[in-house]
Amino acid sequence: MSWQQRIDTALAERCAASAFRKRSPVSLGAGRWLTQGDQRWLNFSSNDYLGLSQHPQVVAAWQRGATRYGTGSGGSGHVTGYSEAHQQLEQQLAEWLGFPRALLFISGFAANQALIAALVGRDDRIVADRLSHASLLEAASQSQAQLRRFTHNDPQQLAQLLAKPIDGLQLAVTEGIFSMDGDSAPLAEIAAVTKAAGGWLLVDDAHGIGATGEEGRGSCFSQQTKPDLLVVTFGKAFGLSGAAVLCSETVADYLLQFARHLIYSTSMPPAQAVALSEALKVIRSDEGEQRRQILLDHITRFRRGAQQLDVQLMDSQSAIQPLIVGENARALSLAESLRVQGCWLTAIRPPTVPAGTARLRVTLTASHQPQDIDHLLEKLYAACR
Ligand SMILES: *Cc1c(COP(=O)(O)O)cnc(C)c1O
């Protein structure tokens, strides 16, 4: 088979399974409205949970940062790319979340890849929740460690897998709030069984951080659990991008030696670090608390209304409210008919989610108005009939 044949075959298979992915460029995509030229839709696809991507204070901070530092960082953090702005942000994150150290990464994907690649080796075992994000599972399967997956949110099965004999060390992996289901992991139990087995726990709280908990400290804080390694990302409630790993002094020093994504990659622009510090300030403030409360009210409103729908609502108390429709083609046609009626939401299909569980992934944000939720529900009633 030639390269061209291989590519043509793969594309043809995707098309036949209604799983072909396309992008569509937006004018604005993160806020209440998604706009393309002079058209607009109510936006139920954005992870900008608190609406901070449009926050004047955060935008001004980025501009101020660019005026002071210029645009790029000029190199990796080991060369010129670690500015005072990066250092301050790391210190603020560590203090906020109660860890000795924080290390910044360019993205959550890079943080997870770097962390797993730097930590685990040939005799080790990673035991990950079956529904963990692709960045975690891919890093784990590319590592030399054994990868075992435990049934979603099942600490008992995790304990059983951890109990199997092993020469090396064990790393348990889960998310705080799951990106495609919106439900929360039982973190205290997961931490307890991991500790009992002598392993370390890595929690990726991409969807919890900023959006939940006192001062937005996220899932671990809400569940009074301290993992050994915490990954937080800034593409969701922070309204920006980037990520951080929260850890001990020695793990931070270790990652600075061995995490290749830190050593061989340009660090985030200093201006972005300035903007992230500002976003953190808003997240921790009364205003952040009000935004979290608005989001919670929207979640309650949506769930109450969606009980009557002829599609399955999931057990989620988070901003992610998936509606399981089953077949790929049905998910696509529902998303399309909602789009025609002014609501933008995404059909999520395998391989992102298990086969037969294609869904409409509704995300709610603090920039929605209550009538936006009612409008969506009305259109959903009509479309699902
Ligand atoms: C979004 C997400 C990531 C990736 O983070 P990026 O900063 O977008 O690369 C990692 N883990 C989880 C659970 C996510 O939802």
Side-chain angles (χ1 to χ4, degrees):
M1 192 190 273
S2 70
W3 280 107
Q4 195 57 52
Q5 284 164 335
R6 181 191 291 182
I7 287 162
D8 291 343
T9 309
L11 290 177
E13 280 170 7
R14 275 287 164 98
C15 284
S18 302
F20 191 78
R21 298 165 194 253
K22 274 188 257 172
R23 300 177 303 171
S24 94
V26 299
S27 309
L28 273 174
R32 179 185 179 202
W33 298 101
L34 184 147
T35 62
Q36 278 184 329
D38 55 9
Q39 272 189 296
R40 69 177 196 179
W41 294 260
L42 277 171
N43 184 4
F44 295 101
S45 285
S46 167
N47 296 326
D48 181 18
Y49 299 131
L50 299 182
L52 295 190
S53 75
Q54 316 270 348
H55 196 292
Q57 231 171 290
V58 181
V59 173
W62 197 317
Q63 287 162 341
R64 202 167 59 239
T67 303
R68 167 151 176 208
Y69 291 101
T71 49
S73 68
S76 99
H78 289 66
V79 189
T80 60
Y82 186 59
S83 69
E84 288 156 4
H86 292 88
Q87 185 188 35
Q88 274 169 19
L89 175 60
E90 286 183 348
Q91 287 168 352
Q92 290 159 356
L93 290 166
E95 185 264 321
W96 177 46
L97 296 170
F99 281 78
R101 293 277 288 276
L103 288 181
L104 296 176
F105 285 80
I106 206 77
S107 71
F109 202 99
N112 286 335
Q113 300 273 315
L115 198 50
I116 287 175
L119 284 173
V120 303
R122 203 153 46 109
D123 297 326
D124 303 336
R125 181 194 285 141
I126 297 171
V127 189
D129 187 289
R130 187 165 282 288
L131 298 189
S132 298
H133 192 261
S135 56
L136 295 161
L137 291 177
E138 278 179 27
S141 65
Q142 282 161 18
S143 78
Q144 298 199 344
Q146 211 184 80
L147 168 61
R148 293 288 176 270
R149 301 163 187 230
F150 63 96
T151 308
H152 179 51
N153 282 347
D154 183 349
Q156 263 18 76
Q157 215 212 349
L158 168 63
Q160 285 164 15
L161 291 169
L162 290 169
K164 303 222 158 106
I166 182 102
D167 289 337
L169 301 168
Q170 304 206 81
L171 183 67
V173 172
T174 189
E175 293 183 27
I177 292 174
F178 283 83
S179 46
M180 293 301 145
D181 289 38
D183 55 348
S184 298
L187 292 174
E189 287 149 276
I190 285 175
V193 302
T194 305
K195 188 161 187 220
W200 270 9
L201 173 62
L202 160 59
V203 175
D204 175 347
D205 200 24
H207 295 279
I209 201 69
T212 60
E214 192 187 313
E215 285 189 35
R217 289 189 180 99
S219 308
C220 294
F221 194 82
S222 308
Q223 298 192 43
Q224 299 177 0
T225 303
K226 187 90 170 274
D228 303 282
L229 304 157
L230 171 64
V231 173
V232 299
T233 73
F234 306 134
K236 281 122 191 177
F238 272 73
L240 283 119
S241 75
V245 172
L246 284 295
C247 58
S248 69
E249 288 287 350
T250 51
V251 170
D253 286 342
Y254 177 89
L255 290 173
L256 286 169
Q257 317 309 312
F258 299 110
R260 304 172 71 77
H261 297 67
L262 284 180
I263 303 165
Y264 297 108
S265 185
T266 305
S267 66
M268 71 170 62
Q272 185 180 339
V274 176
L276 282 164
S277 286
E278 194 66 33
L280 176 57
K281 203 191 279 176
V282 177
I283 283 171
R284 297 186 72 171
S285 70
D286 289 347
E287 184 190 343
E289 197 51 48
Q290 283 156 18
R291 286 177 181 242
R292 281 186 288 280
Q293 189 54 53
I294 291 170
L295 178 57
L296 274 179
D297 292 345
H298 290 343
I299 294 166
T300 309
R301 191 180 193 92
F302 179 78
R303 290 187 64 80
R304 206 186 302 128
Q307 302 293 347
Q308 331 311 328
L309 288 173
D310 182 28
V311 287
Q312 188 197 335
L313 194 59
M314 298 206 70
D315 181 24
S316 160
Q317 303 306 318
S318 73
I320 304 162
Q321 291 292 331
L323 299 167
I324 307 284
V325 300
E327 295 305 315
N328 288 359
R330 181 162 185 235
L332 282 179
S333 77
L334 276 176
E336 183 50 40
S337 81
L338 284 157
R339 206 162 285 187
V340 169
Q341 300 183 74
C343 295
W344 191 284
L345 40 84
T346 317
I348 308 276
R349 291 158 289 162
T352 306
V353 293
T357 71
R359 63 198 68 183
L360 297 176
R361 183 172 179 272
V362 175
T363 54
L364 305 173
T365 75
S367 27
H368 288 126
Q369 301 286 321
Q371 65 267 28
D372 301 345
I373 317 292
D374 296 343
H375 184 82
L376 172 64
L377 285 164
E378 215 174 277
K379 299 303 170 197
L380 278 167
Y381 292 135
C384 296
R385 193 164 291 144

